[in-house]
Amino acid sequence: MDTTTRALVLGGGGVAGIAWETGVLAGLADVGVDVTGADRIVGTSAGSTVAAQITSGLTLDELLRRQIDPAAQAPEIPSGVAIAELMEQWVEIYTQTSDPAEARRKAGALALAASTVTEERRREVILARLPVHEWPDRDLVIVAVDAYTGEPILFTPRSGVSLVDAVAASCAVPCVWPAVTIGDTRYMDGGMRSSNNADLAAGHDRVLVLSPLEDPVLAGQVATLGTTVEVIQPDDASRAAIGPDPLDPEVRTPSAEAGYAQGRAAAATVTALWR
């Protein structure tokens, strides 16, 4: 009997990251290695969307079509934000603040003060992204951050929070989308802890990480796992497809197509890890 446990970590990366990760997963499955049955799935920001989608019951082929076919793509709101300038602002906060929790509180203060679309309008986007709005009966972890305290929160099927709200919170990029009200607090993007939160896969024998964006703490998190880990990051073709703005809805089709090709190319390596 195989007692090996497996975890799939899906990192943040905007609408481009959703498309790319979906492409990679579909490409892997088409060459014979479907990793969506992992014992634990950790989703952060874009990865939380993908995690909810791949546990919804829809096939990877259909999920890929929803990224590639413009007629099937869910409606998105253009961010209207210069993402490069915003990322510079975050880098400055995190490099000049020694305490990560304090850095997250500073990012949260910016998030709470920002002028954005309403929570209701943003929630409509999340509703349209998710094929099913109920939690699956799976070990699914969705990461967000309390915008007031800077404390990470791990939403699961047992948290008493709706799946839509959990994903909306995890995807609430500060200064781009509104912090999400749940109970008596508001939550922002789980990527404010780290883009991937790979350390949350601890305790599993095999871990696959899909990381659409550069993550300066990923190597350290992987090292703490002390297990067999494979990290897939965008190759040259995927980086070109994603482009400079991962929040741009127009990059969904090329990002998904590039991810699919990359997934097929990575199948042998992932098969060795997974099996």
Side-chain angles (χ1 to χ4, degrees):
M1 179 178 178
D2 181 13
T3 58
T4 303
T5 60
R6 298 164 178 85
L8 174 63
V9 176
L10 301 166
V15 292
I18 295 172
W20 177 78
E21 289 178 352
T22 303
V24 171
L25 294 171
L28 288 169
D30 278 358
V31 190
V33 54
D34 185 348
V35 299
T36 61
D39 298 286
R40 166 168 284 195
I41 300 177
V42 178
T44 300
S45 197
S48 73
T49 297
V50 178
Q53 290 173 339
I54 64 175
T55 56
S56 70
L58 260 63
T59 65
L60 284 169
D61 284 345
E62 174 58 21
L63 292 173
L64 181 62
R65 187 184 75 84
R66 286 161 59 105
Q67 294 300 322
I68 288 178
D69 181 359
Q73 290 172 342
E76 294 284 346
I77 304 169
S79 72
V81 172
I83 191 64
E85 295 179 8
L86 183 59
M87 292 183 75
E88 286 180 6
Q89 190 174 26
W90 293 341
V91 168
E92 182 178 353
I93 288 174
Y94 279 79
T95 55
Q96 294 185 2
T97 309
S98 59
D99 178 10
E102 177 61 22
R104 292 192 295 269
R105 285 192 289 272
K106 289 181 179 179
L110 292 175
L112 294 168
S115 176
T116 67
V117 299
T118 63
E119 288 189 56
E120 291 75 15
R121 188 178 178 201
R122 175 60 175 167
R123 195 174 194 274
E124 290 173 358
V125 171
I126 306 301
L127 281 166
R129 284 180 182 175
L130 303 187
V132 172
H133 299 153
E134 302 298 325
W135 285 93
D137 185 17
R138 299 281 300 275
D139 183 2
L140 173 57
V141 178
I142 291 177
V143 187
V145 171
D146 187 313
Y148 293 106
T149 68
E151 291 302 309
I153 179 74
L154 308 182
F155 293 117
T156 73
R158 296 165 297 284
S159 296
V161 171
S162 80
L163 177 64
V164 174
D165 286 341
V167 172
S170 188
C171 293
V173 182
C175 303
V176 179
W177 309 122
V180 173
T181 302
I182 300 176
D184 59 359
T185 193
R186 298 181 73 191
Y187 295 93
M188 63 179 177
D189 199 298
M192 294 298 103
R193 180 180 185 265
S194 80
S195 292
N196 297 283
N197 294 299
D199 55 319
L200 300 179
H204 294 274
D205 303 305
R206 308 291 176 88
V207 179
L208 176 63
V209 181
L210 302 190
S211 177
L213 300 179
E214 291 294 327
D215 182 355
V217 302
L218 177 58
Q221 290 182 347
V222 167
T224 67
L225 292 175
T227 188
T228 306
V229 183
E230 183 69 32
V231 177
I232 299 180
Q233 296 173 306
D235 58 15
D236 289 344
S238 292
R239 283 195 297 271
I242 292 170
D245 183 1
L247 301 181
D248 181 1
E250 297 302 316
V251 305
R252 283 179 288 183
T253 295
S255 297
E257 291 173 339
Y260 178 79
Q262 189 173 352
R264 289 180 62 89
T269 299
V270 175
T271 297
L273 167 80
W274 215 245
R275 295 180 180 173

